[in-house]
Amino acid sequence: MKIWPVPNSLSKEIPRMGEAGSFWEERGEGRHCGVDIYADAGEEVLAIEGGFVIDIGVFTSPDQQEYYQETHFILIKNNNKVIFKYAELGEVLVELGDKVESGQVIGHVGTSLTENESIYKAPFFIRELVSKKQFSKFHLELYKAPVAEVRPYEAGNYLGGFKPESLIDPTMYLNGIAKGIDKAY
């Protein structure tokens, strides 16, 4: 069974094409590789499906941009060879190689943005999030395995020209979960 990844999200509505946080949203210097689900920092993030943890790392960091706070990502590969990238996590509760079950708590939503002087140099979409006080959210990307590293990439944004072939739009997948539809992907 597939599980909604953030039970206490502010909404189960996925941003529509072109809206802030939507898949492949144009962000001036790149395109958004996933979808954002808005939630308060500290909310639980659950594994949508079971699988194995194949990578864990830093997603955003002040070393990348001054307006970022440090958040983390988890890559989980399911049995259908789909890779889920759970990102903008403040806390990771699994380790590399762990087997996870659908519905297992794997982390907590983090705070990815900070409001400081550098925000005025940030891209428009970042300034917009800060003006709305949306400092925390959960970011989800889906990929077909095997996937080569997607570059150039920064903090959920693809900075190249054409959409990578391995990148999957998670919108319909998440909308199905929100509506209680459990079809194989």
Side-chain angles (χ1 to χ4, degrees):
M1 174 175 231
K2 296 179 178 96
I3 302 294
W4 183 257
V6 187
N8 293 320
S9 58
L10 300 176
S11 170
K12 285 190 178 177
E13 294 291 318
I14 303 304
R16 295 185 179 170
M17 186 181 218
E19 292 179 346
S22 64
F23 178 76
W24 213 240
E25 167 200 2
E26 173 58 55
R27 293 186 156 182
E29 55 195 32
R31 293 205 175 253
H32 196 223
C33 291
V35 295
D36 292 334
I37 298 173
Y38 295 94
D40 293 328
E43 291 295 342
E44 291 182 334
V45 175
L46 310 180
I48 297 169
E49 294 186 33
F52 289 91
V53 178
I54 60 171
D55 198 9
I56 296 171
V58 173
F59 188 69
T60 59
S61 164
D63 293 336
Q64 295 167 318
Q65 300 288 345
E66 293 176 64
Y67 47 80
Y68 285 144
Q69 292 193 44
E70 187 168 302
T71 63
H72 305 273
F73 72 85
I74 303 169
L75 291 182
I76 296 177
K77 183 176 170 187
N78 75 4
N79 291 334
N80 293 327
K81 298 188 178 166
V82 174
I83 297 172
F84 294 76
K85 186 173 197 172
Y86 299 83
E88 299 199 45
L89 304 174
E91 182 180 23
V92 172
L93 302 176
V94 294
E95 295 182 16
L96 192 59
D98 281 358
K99 180 179 182 191
V100 299
E101 301 296 328
S102 176
Q104 179 179 334
V105 179
I106 58 172
H108 292 99
V109 173
T111 301
S112 58
L113 297 173
T114 187
E115 188 172 16
N116 62 30
E117 297 159 9
S118 68
I119 203 68
Y120 301 106
K121 299 176 195 169
F124 176 76
F125 76 95
I126 295 287
R127 293 191 315 267
E128 186 72 17
L129 289 171
V130 169
S131 74
K132 293 178 180 178
K133 304 291 186 206
Q134 293 176 320
F135 298 104
S136 58
K137 61 189 169 304
F138 166 69
H139 174 87
L140 178 70
E141 296 174 19
L142 296 179
Y143 292 90
K144 295 178 224 167
V147 63
E149 196 170 14
V150 175
R151 294 282 179 216
Y153 177 95
E154 183 182 286
N157 300 300
Y158 179 65
L159 308 175
F162 299 100
K163 182 175 89 59
E165 285 186 36
S166 61
L167 186 60
I168 301 169
D169 180 353
T171 306
M172 287 179 33
Y173 183 83
L174 286 171
N175 281 335
I177 295 171
K179 292 177 179 149
I181 301 166
D182 188 27
K183 289 184 180 177
Y185 195 76

